[in-house]
Structures are given as structure tokens and as C-alpha cells.
Amino acid sequence: MTPAAAGHRVEPRPRFARVAIVGLGLIGGSLALAARGAGVFGRVIGVGRSRANLDEGLTRGAIDEATDDAAAAVIGADLVVLGVPVASMTSVVRAMLPSLGADAIVTDVGSVKAPLVADLDELLAGHARFVGGHPIAGTERSGMAAAFGELFRGRCCVLTPSPRTDPAALAKVRSLWEAVGMRVVDMDAARHDRVLAMVSHLPHVVAYALAGEIEACEAAGEELVPFSAGGLKDFTRVAASDPALWRDIFTMNRDEVAAGIRAYRERLERLEGLIRDGRGDELREELERARSLRRRVES
Ligand code: NAP
């Protein structure tokens, strides 16, 4: 369904003349490639710490300039995209505050929203116009080398406006994500964190837990991995994600993730009881319900 067909207002394509992408990784790099492809970015400055990653961005035409100096990069920018790990967002913004133009739009792509939106709304008040966002698209890979311009096409982007959000800035950020093929939804930041804890953060916890348990069995001398097939590979794919990135997401969204783990543990205990007691009919009903959900995830 197109955004228009879904009842969303499709904004006219924006044109951002000068864009700073602070954190040119999987998400920041993919946005640079996609927005360039869609003709909505003029000059793009990539900000990062490692030269090799920035050079990859220059070589692939994602950015025009590269620097490790966020404060210098945002001078004259009409759009600043924060693409760094969630725990680094506020320190990166603090460093750039004196250089931001009052009319500049600052938006982020962080996977946790409520604490970030509260901090960045506060920090950026009177300095720039902040819009919280989370493009729900990704892979288990990291860095500019993993970036690709089609990453966002057909996926959902959540924007989390607060009472402080400038409506014109919100509309421009919405039209940016629409221009790269996303369906954009506005959501309260706390609800975002509750929803994403269940559909994204918890699956990562579970994959890391299973991979960690198998690693521990192998460390104790039981050879397992050579006998695995598609099940283990599919189930643990996201456990190949960057541990530092996910440590930050889990700890920043700790209450919601912990609540998800508790609910999941209860579900496991129920399954354990049905299996241990040989209650086949109830077990099958439980598996049927789970399979119907899985079919909806697939479609
Ligand atoms: P990533 O590929 O590791 O990219 C992060 C980039 O930020 C790296 O290229 C890193 O490059 C740079 N960086 C880190 N700290 C920095 C700092 N202090 N100053 C400047 N640059 C810095 O990670 P990602 O997957 O794109 O995730 C980035 C953000 O997107 C996170 O907030 C995450 O929550 C969010 N997100 C991730 C996904 C996903 O599935 N991966 C999906 C949606 C949103 P250097 O090390 O060279 O500085």
C-alpha cells in the first residue's frame, strides 16, 4: 500500500542543500546513498572517527566531504542526521551546539526514543529544531561498507514528535523518509520503546541468549555447531550484530526490555510444562497460535 493509499499525507519532496551525517554507518551511510539517489540531498558532509569508514563513503559517492569534527561539519547545515550509537548521541550534540544554525533541523535514527527525545529536546532548545526518528530497517552488519541505498524501501519509519517539536521541521523530516521509500508513522516516544522492545530488542536478547548457551556447552566440551542446520542459523542471525550497539540499546531501554524478558520467560515456562507433562493437545494449540503469528510476520 502506498503512503497516500494508507491515508498518510505525502509531503512534497524536500531539498536539503547542506547535510551533515554524524555517524556514517549502516543507517547513516544508507540514508546518504538513498537520499542522494532520490535527489533530496545537496552537499553531504560525513562525520566519523575512522578514516577508512569515511573514505568508503567518499569512494561510493555517499558524501562529498569527510571529517572527524562534528562542530565544523554542521556549520551552515540545514539538516543534521545523528547516526551514532544511542549512548553517544547527547555527547555528539553537545560538541556541535555552538555551531548549529537556529533554523537547522536535527534528527536522529536511534533505536530507543523516550530518554533520547527528552535529552535532545532539552539540549537543542534554542539552538536548532529537533525531530526524533527511528527508521525500522537494518541488518546485522555495521559501518559504511554494509550500507546500501535500498535499505529503507517499503519499511516503516517512526517519528516521535513532542510538544516542543516544530511542525514544519516534522513535515520536512517526514518527507525525507518518504522520499527514500518509507511509510512514516508518528508515535509517542514511550509507546515506541514498548513496541520496539517486543518486536526488535527482545528478539535480539533471545538470539544472543541461545547463541551464548550453545557457546557455553561447546566450551564445556560438547561439540554442537557442526551438527546444526538452517534452524540455528536463521534463529541466531541477529546475534551477529555489533555487541556494543546492542548493549547501548538494551541498557537505554532497560525497563521495557526487562518486562519483555519476563513475559518471554513465562511463555517458555508454559511450554516447558506442556512438554515435560506430555500435554500434546495443548502443546499443539500453542504451536498453532505461534505459527499463525509467524505467517503474518512473513507477509
Ligand atoms: P554502525 O553501522 O556501527 O554506524 C555507527 C557509525 O557511527 C559508525 O560508522 C561509527 O564510525 C560512527 N560513530 C560512532 N561513534 C561516533 C562518535 N562518537 N562520533 C562520530 N561518529 C561515531 O551502526 P548503525 O547500525 O548504523 O546504528 C547507528 C544508529 O542507528 C544507532 O543509534 C542505532 O540504534 C540506530 N539503528 C540501527 C539499526 C540497525 O538495525 N543496525 C536500525 C535502525 C536504527 P566510527 O567508528 O568510524 O566513528
Side-chain angles (χ1 to χ4, degrees), residues 62-294:
I63 56 174
D64 303 292
E65 294 173 39
T67 177
D68 62 1
D69 185 346
V74 304
I75 295 172
D78 45 4
L79 176 70
V80 177
V81 179
L82 306 172
V84 297
V86 287
S88 303
M89 296 264 182
T90 48
S91 60
V92 155
V93 167
R94 251 187 217 104
M96 68 175 68
L97 275 186
S99 318
L100 284 166
D103 219 34
I105 295 173
V106 177
T107 191
D108 79 302
V109 299
S111 305
V112 182
K113 294 266 64 85
L116 266 186
V117 169
D119 286 354
L120 295 180
D121 259 350
E122 187 75 38
L123 259 180
L124 284 162
H127 292 278
R129 297 179 291 162
F130 173 66
V131 179
H134 178 202
I136 306 178
T139 73
E140 68 281 15
R141 301 186 56 220
S142 303
M144 183 66 221
F148 59 102
E150 288 300 299
L151 176 64
F152 307 108
R153 190 152 298 285
R155 311 300 300 272
C156 174
C157 179
V158 176
L159 298 181
T160 54
S162 74
R164 283 182 166 172
T165 307
D166 171 45
L170 177 66
K172 280 197 96 172
V173 173
R174 175 182 292 117
S175 60
L176 164 63
W177 290 113
E178 286 174 350
V180 298
M182 299 197 94
R183 178 171 59 91
V184 180
V185 174
D186 291 354
M187 198 184 279
D188 172 71
R191 177 168 175 227
H192 166 280
D193 291 354
R194 229 172 24 249
V195 169
L196 270 292
M198 287 308 286
V199 299
S200 170
H201 308 170
L202 183 60
H204 281 78
V205 169
V206 172
Y208 280 120
L210 179 64
E213 186 55 28
I214 289 176
E215 192 282 328
C217 290
E218 289 218 317
E222 184 79 277
E223 198 179 31
L224 295 173
V225 174
F227 306 106
S228 69
L232 185 66
K233 193 174 167 190
D234 290 351
F235 194 88
T236 58
R237 179 183 63 80
V238 296
S241 305
D242 179 5
L245 188 90
W246 282 93
R247 171 203 58 199
D248 291 352
I249 293 169
F250 294 154
T251 50
M252 193 173 275
N253 199 23
R254 66 186 68 198
D255 291 344
E256 300 299 349
V257 176
I261 292 172
R262 270 196 305 281
Y264 184 66
R265 188 188 299 123
E266 282 166 19
R267 178 74 43 184
L268 275 182
E269 281 167 1
R270 174 169 162 74
L271 277 175
E272 182 191 1
L274 295 178
I275 292 167
R276 192 190 48 230
D277 301 341
R279 288 151 66 189
D281 290 347
E282 287 164 86
L283 180 58
R284 183 173 168 175
E285 275 169 29
E286 186 87 14
L287 303 185
E288 292 283 2
R289 274 197 299 276
R291 184 164 73 165
S292 69
L293 180 281
R294 176 66 180 95

Side-chain angles (χ1 to χ4, degrees), residues 1-10 178 183:
M1 200 188 309
T2 63
H8 298 279
R9 194 157 49 93
V10 178
E178 286 174 350
R183 178 171 59 91

